């Protein structure tokens, strides 16, 4: 997750093996994707790891996916999320922030708010990344049947 002061940028989905010229508009974003492409996360245990203090860090997590009706759309104000599946696969719900109903007001300490609403699903597999900006609602950890996933969020 990357701390920024940018508005009205939209989600990016790409392959780790492709150039990142289009994402260099935000400081540390290209570095984050480059870090993801060059790091073997398979042996890294779940936890928070800092690269540049709180400006650039990543969270490794392992969890079981859930059904879409069990999730909630989330957004962040201080940070941009870069999601990258290491093992397994998942779907991430996506919707631009418009007039969705807020189900949990913004939590400044943890940098998130939750929303109700419809979303389109993006299938994420190892080798892919997705970038969510402050106005991108997203719902990670979704699939049609529960299974284990290992993932990095930077």
């Amino acid at each position: 997750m990357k701390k920024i002061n940018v508005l009205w940028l939209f989600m990016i989905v790409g392959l780790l093996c492709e150039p990142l010229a289009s994402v260099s508009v935000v400081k540390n974003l290209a570095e984050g994707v480059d870090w993801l492409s060059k790091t073997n996360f398979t042996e890294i245990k779940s936890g928070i790891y800092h690269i540049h203090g709180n400006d650039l860090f990543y969270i490794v997590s392992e969890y079981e996916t859930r059904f879409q009706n069990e999730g909630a759309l989330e957004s962040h104000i201080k940070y941009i999320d870069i999601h990258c599946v290491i093992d397994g696969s998942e779907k991430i719900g996506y919707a631009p922030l418009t007039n969705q109903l807020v189900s949990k007001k913004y939590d400044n300490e943890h940098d998130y708010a939750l929303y109700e609403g419809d979303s389109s699903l993006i299938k994420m597999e190892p080798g892919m990344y997705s970038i969510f900006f402050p106005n991108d609602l997203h719902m990670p950890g979704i699939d049609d049947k529960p299974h284990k996933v290992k993932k990095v969020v930077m």
Side-chain angles (χ1 to χ4, degrees), residues 44-47 59-67 70-71 74 81-93 122-126 130 132 138-143 145-154:
I44 298 177
K45 296 186 184 305
S46 295
I59 302 167
V60 176
S61 58
E62 297 183 60
Y63 55 86
E64 191 153 305
T65 59
R66 60 189 185 272
F67 298 109
E70 297 172 334
E74 64 184 61
D81 277 2
I82 307 173
H83 291 242
C84 183
V85 173
I86 303 306
D87 188 37
S89 66
E90 71 175 10
K91 295 174 183 169
I92 298 179
I122 302 160
K123 182 163 175 111
M124 297 294 298
E125 297 177 334
S130 55
F132 299 97
H138 53 287
M139 181 190 312
I142 303 300
D143 212 332
K145 61 180 181 177
H147 61 274
K148 296 217 179 275
V149 172
K150 182 172 185 177
K151 179 176 180 175
V152 176
V153 176
M154 184 166 282

Side-chain angles (χ1 to χ4, degrees), residues 2-4 6 9 23-30 80 133:
K2 169 69 188 100
K3 187 174 183 177
I4 61 152
V6 174
L9 296 174
V23 298
S24 63
V25 296
V26 178
K27 182 183 176 203
N28 290 336
L29 197 52
I80 292 172
F133 293 91

Side-chain angles (χ1 to χ4, degrees), residues 25-53:
V25 296
V26 178
K27 182 183 176 203
N28 290 336
L29 197 52
E31 181 182 359
V33 176
D34 187 54
W35 186 274
L36 288 171
S37 70
K38 293 178 179 176
T39 305
N40 180 359
F41 290 98
T42 56
E43 300 300 319
I44 298 177
K45 296 186 184 305
S46 295
I48 299 175
Y49 301 87
H50 295 268
I51 300 168
H52 297 300

Side-chain angles (χ1 to χ4, degrees), residues 68-136:
Q68 189 172 8
N69 65 353
E70 297 172 334
L73 290 163
E74 64 184 61
S75 71
H76 311 285
I77 293 175
K78 298 179 203 174
Y79 293 97
I80 292 172
D81 277 2
I82 307 173
H83 291 242
C84 183
V85 173
I86 303 306
D87 188 37
S89 66
E90 71 175 10
K91 295 174 183 169
I92 298 179
Y94 165 76
L97 178 58
T98 55
N99 59 356
Q100 289 90 346
L101 180 64
V102 176
S103 60
K104 181 176 180 358
K105 289 185 178 186
Y106 180 71
D107 179 329
N108 187 53
E109 181 181 350
H110 297 102
D111 185 40
Y112 79 98
L114 299 179
Y115 300 83
E116 294 178 14
D118 294 328
S119 62
S120 299
L121 294 176
I122 302 160
K123 182 163 175 111
M124 297 294 298
E125 297 177 334
M128 296 177 69
Y129 66 90
S130 55
I131 301 173
F132 299 97
F133 293 91
N135 56 325
D136 293 323

